[in-house]
Amino acid sequence: RKEVEQDPGPFNVPEGATVAFNCTYSNSASQSFFWYRQDCRKEPKLLMSVYSSGNEDGRFTAQLNRASQYISLLIRDSKLSDSATYLCVVNKAAGNKLTFGGGTRVLVKP
Amino acid sequence: EAGVAQSPRYKIIEKRQSVAFWCNPISGHATLYWYQQILGQGPKLLIQFQNNGVVDDSQLPKDRFSAERLKGVDSTLKIQPAKLEDSAVYLCASSHMQGAHYEQYFGPGTRLTVT
């Protein structure tokens, strides 16, 4: 089993709609969780950290469920510019060693 | 603030040849990482440096890959000899310090094609 698993998609989303997807992780000792965004042929960039209480950044909401070992990302009012691959990232130790999932591809269409 | 710089951006070599990639992290960033990203997959950590010391190289194929970070600033990653399965994007990242709350900043990557 992979340490971090994601549905590769693509999720085809009409502009203005809401899309949500999950990521599961296998190591219960994981401490920190992040969503990174990667545009086609570009480098990954931090989208948001995921906190135990859940957190929101504009149209983006991230949730963590430690009991079931998954995190989620919800995008409201999708924009064309939200089209990208969203990478789920887990850090299981204090040394900042990140383990990336394979990514979920989102395509927002007019 | 300048970002992470990498060169070359693209490289095509034949199998069994050697290749080297260069990375210049963000100024003042003590921690440097090399990742391998195969098409359709997420980045996989190859090696992590803290200043000029290796913190983690558990996933580095040491029979063919080597990396160094002399003087704790720039870093080079070398593959010798290359195999077809080494075709990937090699990403360099840096962070201010170790620790889960320090964001990693990625460079644009070097796209390697081994034929």
Side-chain angles (χ1 to χ4, degrees):
Chain A
R1 182 184 174 188
K2 292 180 181 178
E3 283 192 61
V4 182
E5 293 200 73
Q6 296 184 249
D7 182 336
F11 284 66
N12 293 298
V13 185
E15 191 176 9
T18 296
V19 61
F21 41 89
N22 293 339
C23 156
T24 59
Y25 60 94
S26 61
N27 192 327
S28 59
S30 299
Q31 296 184 355
S32 306
F33 308 87
F34 310 90
W35 285 104
Y36 274 68
R37 170 192 170 127
Q38 187 170 28
D39 293 310
C40 188
R41 302 179 77 87
K42 298 286 188 181
E43 69 273 22
K45 292 184 179 179
L46 179 65
L47 177 67
M48 60 196 302
S49 302
V50 186
Y51 303 120
S52 297
S53 55
N55 50 300
E56 189 174 307
D57 183 0
R59 298 181 293 105
F60 296 83
T61 300
Q63 296 278 355
L64 166 63
N65 186 316
R66 284 191 182 271
S68 300
Q69 294 183 203
Y70 74 87
I71 66 173
S72 64
L73 182 66
L74 181 145
I75 308 173
R76 286 185 300 278
D77 187 22
S78 297
K79 312 292 185 189
L80 297 177
S81 56
D82 294 333
S83 296
T85 296
Y86 291 86
L87 297 164
C88 171
V89 187
V90 173
N91 184 336
K92 65 179 181 182
N96 209 13
K97 177 182 176 181
L98 303 182
T99 301
F100 285 77
T104 295
R105 191 174 172 208
V106 173
L107 296 174
V108 182
K109 299 186 176 181
Chain B
E1 181 181 73
V4 177
Q6 290 189 247
S7 68
R9 292 294 311 277
Y10 305 91
K11 190 73 177 178
I12 300 174
I13 61 172
E14 295 182 351
K15 59 183 178 183
R16 291 187 290 273
Q17 286 187 324
S18 301
V19 64
F21 313 127
W22 173 83
C23 172
N24 180 241
I26 292 173
S27 178
H29 279 195
T31 311
L32 184 147
Y33 315 79
W34 282 101
Y35 290 86
Q36 179 194 58
Q37 186 172 24
I38 294 172
L39 186 64
Q41 300 181 19
K44 181 183 83 172
L45 179 69
L46 293 176
I47 189 166
Q48 178 182 344
F49 292 94
Q50 178 69 18
N51 296 310
N52 61 350
V54 175
V55 173
D56 186 338
D57 63 356
S58 57
Q59 298 191 97
L60 186 73
K62 297 180 185 64
D63 58 334
R64 298 184 301 106
F65 286 64
S66 64
E68 61 182 7
R69 191 184 183 197
L70 300 177
K71 301 180 182 178
V73 181
D74 294 4
S75 177
T76 56
L77 176 69
K78 296 179 181 178
I79 307 175
Q80 180 179 8
K83 293 186 176 181
L84 295 176
E85 59 261 36
D86 298 333
S87 294
V89 176
Y90 291 84
L91 294 161
C92 179
S94 70
S95 63
H96 184 57
M97 292 283 285
Q98 287 194 87
H101 53 290
Y102 289 104
E103 179 178 351
Q104 292 189 22
Y105 296 84
F106 285 81
T110 296
R111 188 172 299 273
L112 174 68
T113 301
V114 182
T115 62

